[in-house]
């Protein structure tokens, strides 16, 4: 199913609270902060446009990285998405920041 995912699925959720479903069965409320196409990473003209998704949590969390699921418009629950934490770097330290890369 991940091959069907494109940046527009996440763009529909920009700024909207949504849930990440973590491997341990817990849920983490997040906001999709940005979606960025990365055309230079594209393998061929027929392949999906690579993109990245920046997210931030709405609460503190010990979650660092791992496989998650998220509900995407038109696709439903999409599983096995690798989410990794990024440094706060002068952002609100009470929240956690994450990134997803789709190649």
């Amino acid at each position: 199913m991940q091959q069907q995912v494109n940046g527009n699925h996440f763009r529909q959720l920009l700024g909207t609270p949504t849930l990440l479903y973590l491997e341990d069965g817990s849920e983490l409320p997040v906001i999709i902060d940005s979606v960025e196409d990365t055309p230079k990473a594209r393998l061929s003209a027929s392949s999906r446009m690579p993109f990245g998704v920046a997210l931030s949590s709405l609460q503190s969390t010990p979650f660092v990285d791992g496989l998650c699921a998220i509900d995407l418009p038109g696709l439903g629950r999409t599983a096995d998405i690798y989410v990794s934490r990024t440094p706060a770097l002068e952002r609100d330290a009470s929240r956690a920041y994450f990134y997803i890369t789709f190649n």
Side-chain angles (χ1 to χ4, degrees), residues 23-45:
E23 286 181 296
D24 66 3
S26 64
E27 299 172 351
L28 178 63
V30 296
I31 295 274
I32 308 294
D33 294 321
S34 67
V35 180
E36 179 182 8
D37 290 334
T38 53
K40 291 183 179 182
R42 196 174 204 168
L43 297 176
S44 69

Side-chain angles (χ1 to χ4, degrees), residues 8-55:
N8 290 330
H9 292 108
F10 284 93
R11 284 185 186 94
Q12 293 177 59
L13 298 173
L14 277 170
T16 305
T18 191
L19 293 172
L20 273 183
Y21 301 94
L22 309 182
E23 286 181 296
D24 66 3
S26 64
E27 299 172 351
L28 178 63
V30 296
I31 295 274
I32 308 294
D33 294 321
S34 67
V35 180
E36 179 182 8
D37 290 334
T38 53
K40 291 183 179 182
R42 196 174 204 168
L43 297 176
S44 69
S46 63
S47 65
R48 169 182 64 196
M49 174 67 70
F51 65 98
V53 180
L55 310 95

Side-chain angles (χ1 to χ4, degrees), residues 1-12:
M1 178 177 281
Q2 282 194 25
Q3 289 303 319
Q4 297 173 343
V5 177
N6 63 56
N8 290 330
H9 292 108
F10 284 93
R11 284 185 186 94
Q12 293 177 59

Side-chain angles (χ1 to χ4, degrees), residues 32-100:
I32 308 294
D33 294 321
S34 67
V35 180
E36 179 182 8
D37 290 334
T38 53
K40 291 183 179 182
R42 196 174 204 168
L43 297 176
S44 69
S46 63
S47 65
R48 169 182 64 196
M49 174 67 70
F51 65 98
V53 180
L55 310 95
S56 57
S57 69
L58 297 175
Q59 63 192 41
S60 63
T61 178
F63 175 70
V64 176
D65 60 22
L67 295 174
C68 297
I70 190 169
D71 293 324
L72 295 174
L75 294 178
R77 184 144 315 155
T78 305
D80 298 328
I81 295 175
Y82 189 79
V83 178
S84 58
R85 195 166 188 157
T86 60
L89 299 176
E90 299 184 25
R91 296 179 281 187
D92 184 349
S94 68
R95 299 172 75 176
Y97 299 90
F98 301 96
Y99 199 78
I100 306 169

